[in-house]
Amino acid sequence: MGSRVSEYEKAISSIVERKYEDKRVFSVQWHITDHCNLACKHCYSSNNSIRDLPLNVLKAIFDKYLKAILKWGVEGYLSLTGGEAILRSDFFELLDFIHARWEEHPVFVVSLMSNGTLIDEERVSHLKEYLPMLSHVQISLDGVNEETHDFLRGEGSFSRSKKGFSLLREGGFTTALHYVVHKGNYRDAFNILELGDELKVIRVTLSRLVPEGGGKTLEMLAPSELRDLWDYLGSRCLDYYPKGVFLARGRCDLWHLPDIASALYSLKLNSQGNAFPALYRVGQRCPVGLNGLAVDTDGTVYPCRRLPISVGNIVQDTFFKIWYSSRLLWKFRHKEEYMKGKCRDCPFLTDTQLRTLCAGGSPCISYGNCGDCFEPDPQCWFDPYSEEQREEVEKWRKRILE
C-alpha cells in the first residue's frame, strides 16, 4: 500500500480547479441480441439459445427507459450490446427510433459495446449519422497480441478488432478498450496501456473474470497477482494522461488498495461540490442498486450483467417498479448491514466516507465464486485485522480527508 499521491496530484493539477456539472446518471446495459459471430471462452452465455425480442418490443422497452429518466430528472447512459449488437438485422432501425427520441429529448447518450470484428467502412458511415448521441464505441480485446487474443476469441479476431478501432477513429469516433483479465492473459495485461496508446483510445478498462457461464472454464487471478498488476498499472497510467489515454480506476475492482492516498485524494475532490471526472477517479463502490441496471436479451433485468440474479422483467414491468420494489437492490443500497466476513470489520465498509471506495468489492465476483454476493470479494488482499494496514489507512485518511 504505497503512495503515489504527489504524482497523481501533479497529473490532474490542470483539471482540479475546473468546475464540472454534477450530473445524476441512470445507466442501462442493454443486450439486444444473442446472435454473435464469435465464441469467446469467458462469455456470460453458456448456451447457444437465441431469445431476441421483436423490434416493436425493443421500442417499448426504450420508451420505458426514457420515461424513467425524464421522471427522475437524470441523464441517461444507454449501452447497446449483445451478443454482437450490430448483427441484429434491424439494428439501425432501432438506432433510428432511439435517435428520433433523442432529438425530442436530448437527455441521454448511447454507446456501443462490440467485439469490433464486423466494423467496416459502410457501418462506420451509418453509425456517424447518430453522432453526437452515439458517444463512443467500446471494443473488447483480451490480449495484446494475436496469440493470446485469438486463443480466447477465435482465429483472426485480433487483427479484425484492431481494424475496427482504426476505422472508427478515422470516422471521428471516440473509442474505448475493454479487457477481461484472468490467469490465461495475465502477462499480457501488464502491457495493456501501450496497446491503448497505439489504438488511440480514450479509456482502457480492465474487468476481472467472473466465474459465470463460459468464465467457469478459466481461472481467476490470485489476490497477490491482482495486487501486483493493479500496482504496476497504477504506477504507469499517469504517464498516459497527457496522451489522452486513461486507465479506468474509478471502478469497483479494488483499485483503491494499491494507492490508498491517491484514492482518498480523488474522493476528497469528488466530495467538494464538484463532479470530479470519472476518468480521473481512483476506486469506487459497486454502483449496483444506486444508478443502473442491466437488461438481458429476453427482457430479464439484472442488478448488473455480471451478477445474474433476476430482479424482474422489463417486458412486463417498468423501471420504476423494479427499481423500488426489489429487495435485493435495497440490500445493496445498505450493504453495511448485510456484508459478511472480514468486510464487517473493514474501514472501507464501516467508515461512511471510505465505503464510497469499496463497501465489499465486487459482488459479482463473490457470487460467481461462492454463490453469495454479500461475502467478501475473494480477490481482496486487504486485511482489516492487520494493525499495520489499518494504521496506513488511518494515516492517509487524517492527512487528506480531515
Short mmCIF file of all heavy atoms in Angstrom, two decimals, residues 254 285-286 328 330-346 348-350 355 358-367 370 372-378 380 385:
data_model
loop_
_atom_site.label_atom_id
_atom_site.label_comp_id
_atom_site.label_asym_id
_atom_site.label_seq_id
_atom_site.Cartn_x
_atom_site.Cartn_y
_atom_site.Cartn_z
N LEU A 254 -11.34 -2.87 -6.67
CA LEU A 254 -10.26 -2.80 -5.68
C LEU A 254 -9.11 -1.89 -6.11
O LEU A 254 -7.99 -2.03 -5.61
CB LEU A 254 -9.72 -4.20 -5.36
CG LEU A 254 -10.77 -5.25 -4.98
CD1 LEU A 254 -10.12 -6.63 -4.82
CD2 LEU A 254 -11.49 -4.87 -3.70
N ARG A 285 -17.23 2.41 -5.00
CA ARG A 285 -18.17 1.40 -4.51
C ARG A 285 -18.93 0.82 -5.70
O ARG A 285 -19.21 1.52 -6.67
CB ARG A 285 -19.13 2.06 -3.54
CG ARG A 285 -20.29 1.19 -3.09
CD ARG A 285 -21.20 1.97 -2.19
NE ARG A 285 -22.38 1.18 -1.82
CZ ARG A 285 -23.01 1.29 -0.66
NH1 ARG A 285 -22.56 2.17 0.24
NH2 ARG A 285 -24.06 0.55 -0.39
N CYS A 286 -19.29 -0.45 -5.63
CA CYS A 286 -20.10 -1.05 -6.67
C CYS A 286 -21.39 -0.26 -6.82
O CYS A 286 -22.11 -0.01 -5.84
CB CYS A 286 -20.42 -2.50 -6.33
SG CYS A 286 -21.57 -3.28 -7.50
N LEU A 328 -33.51 -7.15 -3.22
CA LEU A 328 -32.06 -7.28 -3.42
C LEU A 328 -31.42 -5.91 -3.66
O LEU A 328 -30.36 -5.61 -3.10
CB LEU A 328 -31.77 -8.21 -4.59
CG LEU A 328 -30.28 -8.43 -4.90
CD1 LEU A 328 -29.56 -9.08 -3.72
CD2 LEU A 328 -30.13 -9.29 -6.16
N TRP A 330 -32.47 -3.04 -2.66
CA TRP A 330 -32.45 -2.29 -1.40
C TRP A 330 -31.33 -2.78 -0.48
O TRP A 330 -30.71 -1.99 0.23
CB TRP A 330 -33.81 -2.38 -0.70
CG TRP A 330 -34.83 -1.45 -1.30
CD1 TRP A 330 -35.90 -1.79 -2.05
CD2 TRP A 330 -34.83 -0.02 -1.21
NE1 TRP A 330 -36.58 -0.66 -2.44
CE2 TRP A 330 -35.95 0.44 -1.94
CE3 TRP A 330 -33.99 0.91 -0.60
CZ2 TRP A 330 -36.25 1.78 -2.06
CZ3 TRP A 330 -34.31 2.26 -0.72
CH2 TRP A 330 -35.41 2.69 -1.44
N LYS A 331 -31.07 -4.06 -0.51
CA LYS A 331 -29.97 -4.59 0.31
C LYS A 331 -28.63 -4.03 -0.16
O LYS A 331 -27.75 -3.70 0.65
CB LYS A 331 -29.96 -6.12 0.27
CG LYS A 331 -31.12 -6.75 1.02
CD LYS A 331 -31.13 -8.26 0.87
CE LYS A 331 -30.03 -8.90 1.70
NZ LYS A 331 -30.17 -10.39 1.69
N PHE A 332 -28.47 -3.88 -1.47
CA PHE A 332 -27.23 -3.32 -2.00
C PHE A 332 -27.07 -1.85 -1.60
O PHE A 332 -25.96 -1.36 -1.45
CB PHE A 332 -27.17 -3.46 -3.52
CG PHE A 332 -26.67 -4.79 -3.97
CD1 PHE A 332 -27.47 -5.63 -4.72
CD2 PHE A 332 -25.39 -5.22 -3.64
CE1 PHE A 332 -27.02 -6.87 -5.14
CE2 PHE A 332 -24.93 -6.45 -4.06
CZ PHE A 332 -25.75 -7.28 -4.80
N ARG A 333 -28.17 -1.16 -1.45
CA ARG A 333 -28.10 0.25 -1.04
C ARG A 333 -27.70 0.38 0.43
O ARG A 333 -27.31 1.47 0.86
CB ARG A 333 -29.46 0.92 -1.29
CG ARG A 333 -29.80 1.04 -2.76
CD ARG A 333 -31.25 1.37 -3.02
NE ARG A 333 -31.56 1.17 -4.44
CZ ARG A 333 -32.72 0.76 -4.92
NH1 ARG A 333 -33.71 0.48 -4.08
NH2 ARG A 333 -32.89 0.59 -6.21
N HIS A 334 -27.80 -0.69 1.16
CA HIS A 334 -27.43 -0.68 2.58
C HIS A 334 -26.48 -1.85 2.87
O HIS A 334 -26.70 -2.63 3.80
CB HIS A 334 -28.69 -0.78 3.45
CG HIS A 334 -29.66 0.34 3.22
ND1 HIS A 334 -29.51 1.59 3.77
CD2 HIS A 334 -30.79 0.40 2.45
CE1 HIS A 334 -30.51 2.37 3.37
NE2 HIS A 334 -31.28 1.68 2.57
N LYS A 335 -25.42 -1.93 2.07
CA LYS A 335 -24.52 -3.07 2.17
C LYS A 335 -23.87 -3.19 3.54
O LYS A 335 -23.50 -4.29 3.97
CB LYS A 335 -23.43 -2.97 1.10
CG LYS A 335 -23.92 -3.22 -0.30
CD LYS A 335 -22.80 -3.12 -1.32
CE LYS A 335 -21.85 -4.29 -1.22
NZ LYS A 335 -20.80 -4.23 -2.25
N GLU A 336 -23.71 -2.06 4.23
CA GLU A 336 -23.08 -2.11 5.54
C GLU A 336 -23.86 -2.99 6.51
O GLU A 336 -23.30 -3.48 7.50
CB GLU A 336 -22.92 -0.69 6.11
CG GLU A 336 -24.21 0.05 6.41
CD GLU A 336 -24.83 0.73 5.20
OE1 GLU A 336 -24.32 0.54 4.07
OE2 GLU A 336 -25.82 1.45 5.39
N GLU A 337 -25.13 -3.21 6.23
CA GLU A 337 -25.95 -4.05 7.10
C GLU A 337 -25.90 -5.53 6.72
O GLU A 337 -26.29 -6.39 7.53
CB GLU A 337 -27.40 -3.58 7.06
CG GLU A 337 -27.62 -2.15 7.54
CD GLU A 337 -29.07 -1.73 7.39
OE1 GLU A 337 -29.95 -2.62 7.26
OE2 GLU A 337 -29.33 -0.51 7.41
N TYR A 338 -25.43 -5.83 5.51
CA TYR A 338 -25.56 -7.19 5.01
C TYR A 338 -24.23 -7.87 4.66
O TYR A 338 -24.22 -9.10 4.50
CB TYR A 338 -26.46 -7.20 3.77
CG TYR A 338 -27.85 -6.74 4.07
CD1 TYR A 338 -28.25 -5.43 3.78
CD2 TYR A 338 -28.78 -7.60 4.64
CE1 TYR A 338 -29.54 -5.00 4.07
CE2 TYR A 338 -30.07 -7.18 4.92
CZ TYR A 338 -30.44 -5.88 4.63
OH TYR A 338 -31.72 -5.45 4.92
N MET A 339 -23.15 -7.12 4.54
CA MET A 339 -21.87 -7.74 4.22
C MET A 339 -21.44 -8.70 5.32
O MET A 339 -21.78 -8.51 6.49
CB MET A 339 -20.80 -6.69 3.98
CG MET A 339 -20.95 -5.90 2.69
SD MET A 339 -21.01 -6.92 1.18
CE MET A 339 -19.43 -7.78 1.26
N LYS A 340 -20.66 -9.70 4.93
CA LYS A 340 -20.24 -10.75 5.86
C LYS A 340 -18.72 -10.80 5.97
O LYS A 340 -18.00 -10.07 5.30
CB LYS A 340 -20.79 -12.10 5.37
CG LYS A 340 -22.30 -12.13 5.21
CD LYS A 340 -22.77 -13.43 4.58
CE LYS A 340 -24.29 -13.44 4.41
NZ LYS A 340 -24.77 -14.69 3.75
N GLY A 341 -18.26 -11.69 6.84
CA GLY A 341 -16.83 -11.96 6.96
C GLY A 341 -16.01 -10.76 7.34
O GLY A 341 -16.45 -9.89 8.10
N LYS A 342 -14.81 -10.67 6.79
CA LYS A 342 -13.88 -9.61 7.18
C LYS A 342 -14.38 -8.22 6.82
O LYS A 342 -13.95 -7.23 7.42
CB LYS A 342 -12.51 -9.86 6.55
CG LYS A 342 -12.43 -9.65 5.04
CD LYS A 342 -11.00 -9.83 4.53
CE LYS A 342 -10.88 -9.49 3.04
NZ LYS A 342 -9.49 -9.64 2.56
N CYS A 343 -15.30 -8.13 5.86
CA CYS A 343 -15.81 -6.82 5.46
C CYS A 343 -16.48 -6.10 6.63
O CYS A 343 -16.44 -4.86 6.71
CB CYS A 343 -16.80 -6.95 4.31
SG CYS A 343 -16.06 -7.44 2.74
N ARG A 344 -17.08 -6.84 7.53
CA ARG A 344 -17.81 -6.21 8.64
C ARG A 344 -16.88 -5.46 9.58
O ARG A 344 -17.32 -4.59 10.34
CB ARG A 344 -18.60 -7.26 9.41
CG ARG A 344 -19.69 -7.92 8.57
CD ARG A 344 -20.71 -8.63 9.44
NE ARG A 344 -21.41 -7.67 10.30
CZ ARG A 344 -22.44 -6.93 9.93
NH1 ARG A 344 -22.89 -7.00 8.68
NH2 ARG A 344 -23.03 -6.11 10.79
N ASP A 345 -15.57 -5.77 9.53
CA ASP A 345 -14.59 -5.10 10.38
C ASP A 345 -13.64 -4.22 9.57
O ASP A 345 -12.62 -3.76 10.10
CB ASP A 345 -13.79 -6.14 11.17
CG ASP A 345 -14.66 -6.95 12.11
OD1 ASP A 345 -15.40 -6.32 12.89
OD2 ASP A 345 -14.61 -8.19 12.04
N CYS A 346 -13.98 -4.00 8.30
CA CYS A 346 -13.08 -3.25 7.42
C CYS A 346 -13.45 -1.77 7.37
O CYS A 346 -14.64 -1.44 7.22
CB CYS A 346 -13.13 -3.84 6.01
SG CYS A 346 -12.05 -2.99 4.82
N PHE A 348 -13.17 0.19 5.02
CA PHE A 348 -13.75 0.54 3.73
C PHE A 348 -15.23 0.13 3.62
O PHE A 348 -15.85 0.31 2.59
CB PHE A 348 -12.94 -0.10 2.59
CG PHE A 348 -11.58 0.52 2.42
CD1 PHE A 348 -10.44 -0.16 2.81
CD2 PHE A 348 -11.45 1.81 1.93
CE1 PHE A 348 -9.19 0.41 2.68
CE2 PHE A 348 -10.20 2.40 1.80
CZ PHE A 348 -9.06 1.71 2.17
N LEU A 349 -15.77 -0.36 4.74
CA LEU A 349 -17.21 -0.57 4.86
C LEU A 349 -17.78 0.19 6.05
O LEU A 349 -18.82 0.83 5.95
CB LEU A 349 -17.54 -2.05 5.01
CG LEU A 349 -19.04 -2.36 5.16
CD1 LEU A 349 -19.78 -2.16 3.83
CD2 LEU A 349 -19.26 -3.78 5.68
N THR A 350 -17.06 0.16 7.17
CA THR A 350 -17.60 0.73 8.40
C THR A 350 -17.53 2.25 8.42
O THR A 350 -18.37 2.91 9.04
CB THR A 350 -16.86 0.17 9.62
OG1 THR A 350 -15.45 0.47 9.50
CG2 THR A 350 -17.03 -1.34 9.70
N ARG A 355 -16.36 3.97 2.66
CA ARG A 355 -17.14 2.93 2.00
C ARG A 355 -17.52 3.32 0.57
O ARG A 355 -17.88 2.46 -0.24
CB ARG A 355 -18.39 2.57 2.81
CG ARG A 355 -19.51 3.58 2.77
CD ARG A 355 -20.78 3.03 3.44
NE ARG A 355 -20.56 2.68 4.82
CZ ARG A 355 -21.36 3.03 5.82
NH1 ARG A 355 -22.46 3.76 5.57
NH2 ARG A 355 -21.11 2.67 7.05
N CYS A 358 -15.38 1.31 -1.76
CA CYS A 358 -15.37 -0.15 -1.82
C CYS A 358 -16.68 -0.77 -1.35
O CYS A 358 -17.46 -1.25 -2.15
CB CYS A 358 -14.20 -0.69 -1.00
SG CYS A 358 -14.04 -2.49 -1.07
N ALA A 359 -16.91 -0.81 -0.04
CA ALA A 359 -18.12 -1.40 0.56
C ALA A 359 -18.29 -2.87 0.19
O ALA A 359 -19.39 -3.34 -0.08
CB ALA A 359 -19.36 -0.60 0.17
N GLY A 360 -17.17 -3.60 0.14
CA GLY A 360 -17.26 -5.03 -0.10
C GLY A 360 -16.76 -5.51 -1.44
O GLY A 360 -16.92 -6.69 -1.78
N GLY A 361 -16.14 -4.63 -2.23
CA GLY A 361 -15.60 -5.06 -3.51
C GLY A 361 -16.69 -5.32 -4.54
O GLY A 361 -17.72 -4.65 -4.57
N SER A 362 -16.47 -6.33 -5.38
CA SER A 362 -17.41 -6.63 -6.47
C SER A 362 -18.31 -7.81 -6.09
O SER A 362 -17.84 -8.94 -6.01
CB SER A 362 -16.64 -6.98 -7.75
OG SER A 362 -15.93 -5.87 -8.24
N PRO A 363 -19.60 -7.56 -5.89
CA PRO A 363 -20.50 -8.66 -5.52
C PRO A 363 -20.61 -9.73 -6.59
O PRO A 363 -20.86 -10.90 -6.28
CB PRO A 363 -21.84 -7.96 -5.28
CG PRO A 363 -21.74 -6.66 -6.00
CD PRO A 363 -20.29 -6.27 -5.93
N CYS A 364 -20.41 -9.35 -7.85
CA CYS A 364 -20.49 -10.36 -8.92
C CYS A 364 -19.36 -11.38 -8.79
O CYS A 364 -19.55 -12.57 -9.08
CB CYS A 364 -20.45 -9.68 -10.28
SG CYS A 364 -18.99 -8.67 -10.59
N ILE A 365 -18.18 -10.93 -8.37
CA ILE A 365 -17.06 -11.85 -8.17
C ILE A 365 -17.37 -12.80 -7.03
O ILE A 365 -17.15 -14.02 -7.12
CB ILE A 365 -15.76 -11.08 -7.89
CG1 ILE A 365 -15.46 -10.05 -9.00
CG2 ILE A 365 -14.59 -12.04 -7.72
CD1 ILE A 365 -15.01 -10.63 -10.30
N SER A 366 -17.90 -12.25 -5.93
CA SER A 366 -18.27 -13.09 -4.78
C SER A 366 -19.35 -14.10 -5.16
O SER A 366 -19.28 -15.28 -4.81
CB SER A 366 -18.75 -12.22 -3.62
OG SER A 366 -17.73 -11.34 -3.19
N TYR A 367 -20.35 -13.63 -5.88
CA TYR A 367 -21.46 -14.50 -6.26
C TYR A 367 -20.98 -15.63 -7.17
O TYR A 367 -21.36 -16.80 -6.99
CB TYR A 367 -22.55 -13.68 -6.96
CG TYR A 367 -23.77 -14.49 -7.31
CD1 TYR A 367 -24.70 -14.83 -6.33
CD2 TYR A 367 -24.01 -14.91 -8.62
CE1 TYR A 367 -25.83 -15.57 -6.64
CE2 TYR A 367 -25.13 -15.65 -8.95
CZ TYR A 367 -26.04 -15.99 -7.95
OH TYR A 367 -27.15 -16.73 -8.27
N CYS A 370 -18.79 -18.07 -4.85
CA CYS A 370 -19.37 -18.90 -3.79
C CYS A 370 -20.89 -18.89 -3.74
O CYS A 370 -21.49 -19.54 -2.88
CB CYS A 370 -18.82 -18.48 -2.43
SG CYS A 370 -19.39 -16.85 -1.89
N ASP A 372 -22.81 -16.27 -3.03
CA ASP A 372 -23.32 -15.29 -2.07
C ASP A 372 -22.67 -13.95 -2.37
O ASP A 372 -21.47 -13.76 -2.15
CB ASP A 372 -23.00 -15.73 -0.64
CG ASP A 372 -23.68 -14.84 0.41
OD1 ASP A 372 -24.07 -13.71 0.08
OD2 ASP A 372 -23.78 -15.28 1.57
N CYS A 373 -23.46 -12.99 -2.86
CA CYS A 373 -22.90 -11.70 -3.27
C CYS A 373 -22.57 -10.80 -2.09
O CYS A 373 -22.04 -9.71 -2.28
CB CYS A 373 -23.81 -10.99 -4.25
SG CYS A 373 -25.54 -10.89 -3.77
N PHE A 374 -22.84 -11.23 -0.86
CA PHE A 374 -22.50 -10.43 0.31
C PHE A 374 -21.32 -11.01 1.09
O PHE A 374 -20.99 -10.52 2.17
CB PHE A 374 -23.73 -10.27 1.21
CG PHE A 374 -24.81 -9.46 0.57
CD1 PHE A 374 -25.92 -10.07 0.01
CD2 PHE A 374 -24.71 -8.07 0.49
CE1 PHE A 374 -26.91 -9.33 -0.62
CE2 PHE A 374 -25.69 -7.32 -0.13
CZ PHE A 374 -26.80 -7.94 -0.68
N GLU A 375 -20.69 -12.02 0.52
CA GLU A 375 -19.42 -12.49 1.07
C GLU A 375 -18.31 -11.55 0.59
O GLU A 375 -18.45 -10.87 -0.43
CB GLU A 375 -19.13 -13.92 0.60
CG GLU A 375 -19.93 -15.00 1.32
CD GLU A 375 -19.47 -15.20 2.76
OE1 GLU A 375 -18.29 -14.86 3.06
OE2 GLU A 375 -20.28 -15.69 3.57
N PRO A 376 -17.18 -11.48 1.31
CA PRO A 376 -16.08 -10.61 0.88
C PRO A 376 -15.58 -10.97 -0.51
O PRO A 376 -15.62 -12.14 -0.92
CB PRO A 376 -15.00 -10.88 1.94
CG PRO A 376 -15.74 -11.35 3.14
CD PRO A 376 -16.92 -12.13 2.60
N ASP A 377 -15.15 -9.98 -1.23
CA ASP A 377 -14.55 -10.17 -2.55
C ASP A 377 -13.36 -11.12 -2.41
O ASP A 377 -12.41 -10.85 -1.67
CB ASP A 377 -14.08 -8.81 -3.08
CG ASP A 377 -13.66 -8.84 -4.53
OD1 ASP A 377 -12.95 -9.79 -4.92
OD2 ASP A 377 -14.00 -7.91 -5.27
N PRO A 378 -13.36 -12.27 -3.09
CA PRO A 378 -12.32 -13.27 -2.89
C PRO A 378 -10.93 -12.84 -3.37
O PRO A 378 -9.94 -13.48 -3.01
CB PRO A 378 -12.82 -14.47 -3.68
CG PRO A 378 -13.69 -13.88 -4.75
CD PRO A 378 -14.37 -12.71 -4.08
N CYS A 380 -9.73 -9.74 -2.78
CA CYS A 380 -9.27 -8.63 -1.95
C CYS A 380 -8.10 -9.06 -1.07
O CYS A 380 -8.18 -10.08 -0.37
CB CYS A 380 -10.42 -8.13 -1.07
SG CYS A 380 -9.92 -6.85 0.11
N TYR A 385 -7.66 -6.90 9.94
CA TYR A 385 -7.17 -7.28 11.27
C TYR A 385 -5.67 -7.02 11.42
O TYR A 385 -5.11 -7.28 12.48
CB TYR A 385 -7.49 -8.75 11.53
CG TYR A 385 -8.94 -9.06 11.34
CD1 TYR A 385 -9.37 -9.84 10.27
CD2 TYR A 385 -9.91 -8.53 12.19
CE1 TYR A 385 -10.72 -10.10 10.07
CE2 TYR A 385 -11.26 -8.77 11.99
CZ TYR A 385 -11.66 -9.56 10.93
OH TYR A 385 -12.99 -9.80 10.73
#
